[in-house]
Amino acid sequence: MATTSFTHPQLFSRAGKSAKNKAVLAPLTHNMSDDNGDLSSDEMAWLSLCARGGFGTLILAATQVLPGGRCWQGQPGLMSDFQQGQFAKVAAMARGHRVLTIVQLHHGGVRASVELNERAPMGPSAIAAGGRYPLGVEEMSGEQIAELTEGFVSAAQRAYEAGMDGVELHGAHNFLLCNFLNPTLNLRSDEWGGSVFKRTKILRDIIAEIRRRLPRNFIVGVRLSPESYANVRGIALSHQVEVANILATQDIDYLHFSMGDSFKAPNEGEGSSLLAHIREGFTGDIPLMVAGKIADGLSAQQALHLGADMVAVGSAALGNPDWFNRVATRTKLVNPPFSRKQLSLNGFNAKGLQYLLSVPGLVASTEDGAQV
């Protein structure tokens, strides 16, 4: 099968929309939103740089849909008329550059901050894995699950009314929708637990209700983690491929795997790479997006060769908001560790820099970019 270039357009055929290329700004945590979740002028300016920099699609950072689900200070929210108006400004800006905008909808689940939410986190079951939760985890009732579903759908409706092109449901990284998929955290014996199919019910219900309320040209995607990682256990690759195939039948527009490293060997199963293994098992007829070590044009093209349809650029975009324009014209990229001066010029304010400094190897140790 011939591999197309990441510079070629990407069709979302079910929605009847097209991105001008296959390069996507990954939903990057940056902590630049105001303390109440309102988008700051700094993050809107950063998104504008990325739109001008050539990306075909922007996915905005994990955005809170319901009180009680916040994970970090500086996380955006889409729960008020004012917040909707700010998202409308981003959507209008992006349209001016022929860029699609998608907002990633999020609830922290067992990872929600006790300090920021002033309550114990919620999950499908009362499982506080790893002793990391001083107040424990509250098992969600059916009523709370219904409220959560409505929170996601209402935020999607706000995104649509703001002029965004779509939403991405965050079912990765041990957040709430991922908690329901994880059999070590979801021990329910009711309609939301048990088999892989039943553990997808919360996602299927959210998707169905979005489709019921909003026009079909509104894009809906889902982000998944393919494997267990770090201190997270219970995410099996075979189960996640099955989840992907189930969701592909639910009238969504794309599947987004957050790989960590798209080119590493899988922790389980056969395959030259994690991406190749997923591509072999994924039978859906919708685009497959991947994030994880997409650093330059070569790795982007390699990901397409291994079966991805779109590439989501994360860390590399922090130092190169014009990543697409650079790689398309074979212009040298700025490589990490990035200097603080460069990141400031790219739009990151003091709060954003403080967060990025906490990520090992991302930011230089001194102001001028030198390592010590």
Side-chain angles (χ1 to χ4, degrees):
M1 180 177 68
T3 302
T4 60
S5 168
F6 64 89
T7 63
H8 291 174
Q10 175 60 51
L11 175 65
F12 297 93
S13 58
R14 293 181 177 181
K17 285 188 175 180
S18 183
K20 63 185 179 181
N21 57 56
K22 299 175 181 293
V24 179
L25 176 70
L28 291 163
T29 300
H30 48 62
N31 281 22
M32 288 199 289
S33 295
D34 294 338
D35 288 348
N36 62 357
D38 294 348
L39 298 185
S40 69
S41 58
D42 292 316
E43 71 185 290
M44 288 193 281
W46 149 252
L47 290 167
S48 179
L49 281 179
C50 293
R52 296 201 304 271
F55 285 103
T57 304
L58 307 181
I59 305 181
L60 278 65
T63 297
Q64 186 181 359
V65 302
L66 201 68
R70 198 170 196 188
C71 276
W72 49 86
Q73 199 76 44
Q75 180 179 8
L78 186 48
M79 298 179 287
S80 71
D81 290 346
F82 181 77
Q83 290 169 346
Q84 180 177 319
Q86 291 177 304
F87 278 86
K89 293 178 183 177
V90 173
M93 172 277 296
R95 278 196 301 276
H97 298 283
R98 298 190 302 111
V99 175
L100 299 183
T101 49
I102 294 173
V103 55
Q104 187 184 73
L105 302 183
H106 171 272
H107 187 291
V110 303
R111 290 185 62 186
S113 166
V114 171
E115 293 76 19
L116 295 178
N117 298 295
E118 298 182 343
R119 54 158 297 154
M122 298 190 301
S125 302
I127 305 295
R132 299 172 64 232
Y133 309 96
L135 298 183
V137 172
E138 175 188 330
E139 179 173 318
M140 297 177 70
S141 66
E143 290 77 13
Q144 287 172 318
I145 293 174
E147 181 183 9
L148 174 77
T149 301
E150 177 59 29
F152 274 93
V153 176
S154 294
Q157 190 154 6
R158 285 190 178 278
Y160 169 75
E161 291 171 356
M164 306 290 286
D165 293 287
V167 293
E168 178 175 281
L169 307 178
H170 199 334
H173 298 175
N174 206 33
F175 298 124
L176 187 56
L177 298 180
C178 184
N179 300 156
F180 272 86
L181 298 175
N182 187 335
T184 67
L185 298 180
N186 182 354
L187 304 183
R188 302 178 77 99
S189 58
D190 58 10
E191 58 194 303
W192 292 284
S195 67
V196 173
F197 183 77
K198 290 175 74 174
R199 294 199 305 272
T200 66
K201 175 175 168 55
I202 190 165
L203 273 163
R204 290 185 285 112
D205 287 350
I206 292 168
I207 293 163
E209 187 60 17
I210 291 173
R211 288 292 177 231
R212 191 184 72 81
R213 294 192 198 179
L214 299 178
R216 185 57 191 86
N217 66 351
F218 189 67
I219 294 170
V220 177
V222 180
R223 194 179 215 202
L224 298 174
S225 292
E227 300 178 315
S228 295
Y229 63 96
N231 61 348
V232 177
R233 292 294 176 265
I235 303 174
L237 178 56
S238 57
H239 287 176
Q240 294 300 88
V241 172
E242 186 177 350
V243 167
N245 288 329
I246 290 168
L247 294 176
T249 69
Q250 301 298 304
D251 205 18
I252 63 173
D253 296 287
Y254 71 90
L255 230 299
H256 181 183
F257 270 102
S258 180
M259 313 283 259
D261 183 345
S262 302
F263 311 108
K264 69 179 281 291
N267 293 344
E268 61 173 274
E270 301 296 328
S272 59
S273 68
L274 182 57
L275 172 52
H277 182 94
I278 289 171
R279 181 69 269 180
E280 183 178 353
F282 180 55
T283 59
D285 62 348
I286 56 174
L288 177 65
M289 181 190 302
V290 298
K293 303 297 184 183
I294 310 298
D296 52 24
L298 184 63
S299 52
Q301 206 59 47
Q302 183 183 2
L304 295 187
H305 178 73
L306 290 171
D309 298 293
M310 293 178 285
V311 289
V313 182
S315 298
L318 297 171
N320 303 273
D322 56 349
W323 183 91
F324 180 86
N325 288 344
R326 284 176 180 261
V327 295
T329 58
R330 301 182 184 274
T331 302
K332 183 179 174 62
L333 291 164
V334 179
N335 294 315
F338 305 120
S339 73
R340 301 179 203 184
K341 178 179 180 181
Q342 182 64 51
L343 290 171
S344 296
L345 290 173
N346 288 351
F348 288 92
N349 61 20
K351 290 195 303 180
L353 286 173
Q354 183 179 12
Y355 170 74
L356 296 179
L357 280 163
S358 71
V359 181
L362 192 60
V363 183
S365 305
T366 60
E367 291 287 352
D368 63 2
Q371 290 295 292
V372 295

